[in-house]
Amino acid sequence: MAAGEVVRAKLVTTIPTTREAHVPASTSVAIIGAGPAGLMLGHLLAQAGVPFVILEAQPREHVLGRIRAGVLEQGSVDLLARHGLDADLRERGLTHHGIYLQYEGERHHIDFLDLVGRTVTVYGQQALVAHLLAEHDRIGSTIVFEAKEVQPTGVTDPRPTVTYTHDGVGHEIECDLVVGADGYHGICRRSIPSGEIEVFERSYPFGWLGILADVPPSTDDLIYALHPEGFGMHSMRSLEVSRLYVQVAPDESIDDWSDARIWDALHERLGLEGWQLQEGPITEKSITPMRSFVTSTLQHGRMFLAGDAGHIVPPTGAKGLNSALADVAMLGQAILDHRAGDDTGLARYSERALARQWKVQHFSQWMTEMLHVLHEVPDASARAFRYRSQVGQLDHLTGSVAARRSLAEQYTGLPFTE
């Protein structure tokens, strides 16, 4: 296939009956995974005329139904706007100038716009994926859903291949580069020899029970609350739908949490004199364990990892989706430079992306440890000491302009070009 030729095979669009797109035997970039990272990278390549194929293990309706993060940093919003992918975001996104930190019966506002001149936007990952997919439909991108037994091979050779099966038929794609945007459980990271990659991981002794409720938000900005019974959070997905969380043990069963018990916990942890949490029908609820995870490299030969394939953060700092978009912003430009004859960006991609990611990991860990209660500490005095030190930390944060500015700088997002 000639350089610059755009793949124009029809995308599978029918739900639930799907049919395979016409997939070329050779392309420039094989992207494994149709989450936000893979879909966004596809658009960056398409706009530069770079041929690509996206392979996704799950059905299209499963991809569209995955409920994930919902806060975009300023850099993520700017990236979408620069590439003309923000129409739905501008219509449905909710711009927020800051967050509330609540503890000891008081609520304090951290004004990002005043502190650093930036904002964040509440816009669910589910909506972003739907919009990016619709735009791929419009331009005729080649995306294969339900691609099974995907396997990148020969990634240290000049022309890697990716094999997969679809409807029981085997296929092979030869490419210049492979991008693993296939998440924590994907094949790309696991295909790197153990001696070539190291994993750094930490699990937390708590999880988040999250709900979606059909009720307008009871707050104008997100609320993060430290309470003796555990963390609580009030977020939103729209002006009609609220997203709320409570800290629970990671091994608890969602079956043990009735709707009434959930609302009782939310009222207790978010309650404030003169403020009322409004209840509504709960349409979705689940428990998510909390963990941190980073790989030692995001590159093996001509294969590059992006997003959850290479790193995961606890959701407290709202960094997962934004980290994935930061990765592909760097990687997309590096691929374009590579096609122009400059491999500097590809050679430095892993180093640059991981340098940014470790800063993000620190912020996410800091937010998590400041706002969650360690019920697992057996000694009552030690538990009380830790809780009082968390209150002291929050007192310093809310009372110091320098500390608030540091939080605002990191929450609204580090540059995508570090």
Side-chain angles (χ1 to χ4, degrees), residues 2 8 55 86 111 123 128 135 164 222 284 297 311 313-314 316 334 338 344 346 353 378 417:
R8 299 192 183 280
L55 302 176
D86 63 335
D111 192 319
Y123 182 67
L128 175 61
E135 286 297 294
Y164 70 98
L222 280 66
E284 189 273 340
T297 182
H311 44 73
V313 291
T316 322
H338 161 75
T344 305
L346 284 182
T417 55

Side-chain angles (χ1 to χ4, degrees), residues 197-403:
I197 191 170
E198 187 176 358
V199 170
F200 308 100
E201 194 162 11
R202 175 188 177 183
S203 295
Y204 294 85
F206 40 76
W208 275 14
L209 189 161
I211 66 167
L212 282 174
D214 285 340
V215 60
S218 303
T219 179
D220 54 344
D221 279 334
L222 280 66
I223 303 169
Y224 289 80
L226 171 69
H227 187 274
E229 292 301 313
F231 172 75
M233 181 179 178
H234 189 328
S235 182
M236 62 283 292
R237 282 296 176 267
S238 70
L239 295 176
E240 298 79 31
V241 177
S242 295
R243 182 73 160 151
L244 302 110
Y245 302 92
V246 291
Q247 174 187 341
V248 297
D251 57 353
E252 287 200 43
S253 170
I254 194 65
D255 295 335
D256 294 333
W257 284 82
S258 66
D259 291 3
R261 184 185 178 192
I262 293 170
W263 285 116
D264 286 346
L266 287 166
H267 281 291
E268 180 177 35
R269 300 182 196 188
L270 295 171
L272 198 67
E273 186 176 353
W275 176 84
Q276 181 65 42
L277 173 65
Q278 300 300 319
E279 297 186 16
I282 295 176
T283 59
E284 189 273 340
K285 58 183 176 180
S286 61
I287 294 176
T288 303
M290 306 274 278
R291 69 179 186 276
S292 301
F293 160 84
V294 187
T295 59
S296 60
T297 182
L298 299 176
Q299 178 182 4
H300 180 60
R302 300 177 77 85
M303 181 173 71
F304 301 85
L305 305 180
D308 286 0
H311 44 73
I312 291 175
V313 291
T316 322
K319 295 301 171 195
L321 171 58
N322 295 289
S323 293
L325 294 177
D327 283 353
V328 298
M330 293 184 202
L331 184 56
Q333 185 59 54
I335 292 172
L336 300 187
D337 293 343
H338 161 75
R339 288 175 62 83
D342 181 1
D343 284 340
T344 305
L346 284 182
R348 294 194 59 224
Y349 163 69
S350 179
E351 174 190 354
R352 293 172 63 224
L354 285 175
R356 184 185 190 279
Q357 178 58 207
W358 278 114
K359 296 173 188 176
V360 168
Q361 289 285 341
H362 171 264
F363 175 72
S364 298
Q365 177 179 267
W366 173 73
M367 287 279 287
T368 299
E369 293 181 340
M370 180 171 63
L371 291 164
H372 289 77
V373 176
L374 282 184
H375 298 296
E376 297 73 18
V377 176
D379 181 76
S381 178
R383 286 199 308 273
F385 181 93
R386 184 180 188 280
Y387 182 83
R388 298 315 310 173
S389 70
Q390 290 172 275
V391 171
Q393 187 177 13
L394 284 161
D395 271 340
H396 169 70
L397 174 59
T398 57
S400 164
V401 173

Side-chain angles (χ1 to χ4, degrees), residues 25 53 76 112 144 165 187 264 341 349 378:
V53 172
S76 297
F112 299 156
V144 180
T165 62
I187 187 59
D264 286 346
Y349 163 69

